[in-house]
Amino acid sequence: MSTDPVTQILNEVLQGLVTQLNGEIHAAIVGAGYDPYRDVASGSTSIGIGTASYSVSNLTGISSLQLQDMVVGNVSASGANLVGTVSFHAQLTSSLMAQVAGEVSVLFAHPGISGSLRIDSPTIAGTAQFQASTSGGKLCLNTLSGLSTDFNYGNAAIWINDLGPLNYLLQPVENLILDAAKGAIRSLISSQIGGIVGRELSQQLPQCVPFP
């Protein structure tokens, strides 16, 4: 079944926005100070018989974000006004990399933590709401709002140095640091990076094209 003309035109406008945004998003993210992102996650956590303090810093790769598509759905009209949803998919074309540091403390043993974290092939899916209008022989995409995202980590792994006499704690320490980092990165994507993408898109609107 063929797509109705309004939906088809809106999707064409959105594809143009994708192309524009992909040419600008790298500089916007770097300029806002999120690549490298200095302080990703830090904390001190009990590991049963002692504590582990950690920090994850200098995250790189966020600015490799590229939108793949934006597609409208659930279009409804009220007079000349149109509203509906937009779904989108994005990917990070570079792996996310970060440095790991800290210390494990159990009785008189205090080995340091150093290592790295890597996330390969991360992807993002999300939705937004659009408002458009038809008047004066034009169809205008006026606003995109309510951006929300879902971050897929792909392959996430962490490597830290040998802990010497406490090496039996290596796996739990790696797990807690990885979980903390993944939560922080998810928050970064959904808030700060989502906000940057939303602002960059809004700066391109309204977009109007001829409409019979």
Side-chain angles (χ1 to χ4, degrees):
M1 184 169 59
S2 62
T3 303
D4 69 90
V6 169
T7 298
Q8 182 176 345
I9 292 172
L10 287 172
N11 282 335
E12 291 172 357
V13 172
L14 286 170
Q15 189 54 46
L17 285 176
V18 166
T19 301
Q20 288 177 290
L21 183 69
N22 284 342
E24 300 169 358
I25 193 61
H26 173 84
I29 292 174
V30 171
Y34 294 112
D35 195 349
Y37 186 43
R38 301 299 180 188
D39 301 314
V40 180
S42 61
S44 181
T45 304
S46 171
I47 50 175
I49 58 174
T51 60
S53 60
Y54 63 88
S55 66
V56 181
S57 60
N58 295 323
L59 177 71
T60 60
I62 289 287
S63 64
S64 70
L65 176 74
Q66 293 281 281
L67 281 172
Q68 296 171 292
D69 60 58
M70 299 184 76
V71 180
V72 301
N74 302 317
V75 180
S76 62
S78 176
N81 295 314
L82 302 164
V83 296
T85 60
V86 173
S87 61
F88 65 88
H89 297 87
Q91 63 180 357
L92 277 69
T93 58
S94 297
S95 297
L96 296 178
M97 304 284 291
Q99 298 170 358
V100 177
E103 182 182 81
V104 174
S105 298
V106 176
L107 297 176
F108 300 106
H110 307 280
I113 295 171
S114 64
S116 61
L117 178 148
R118 178 177 179 135
I119 300 174
D120 295 321
S121 305
T123 59
I124 302 166
T127 59
Q129 288 75 50
F130 77 84
Q131 187 275 325
S133 60
T134 56
S135 62
K138 295 180 180 180
L139 190 157
C140 295
L141 178 63
N142 297 315
T143 63
L144 287 170
S145 60
L147 190 84
S148 64
T149 62
D150 183 25
F151 186 57
N152 182 343
Y153 290 99
N155 300 314
I158 186 171
W159 298 269
I160 63 175
N161 62 293
D162 192 294
L163 297 178
L166 301 181
N167 209 45
Y168 64 95
L169 294 174
L170 186 61
Q171 191 65 53
V173 169
E174 286 183 338
N175 289 343
L176 78 88
I177 296 174
L178 183 58
D179 287 345
K182 287 168 69 174
I185 293 169
R186 181 184 294 277
S187 177
L188 173 67
I189 293 290
S190 64
S191 56
Q192 288 95 331
I193 303 305
I196 291 172
V197 171
R199 286 193 298 273
E200 290 295 312
L201 284 170
S202 294
Q203 290 174 8
Q204 306 294 336
L205 299 176
Q207 291 265 349
C208 298
V209 295
F211 184 69

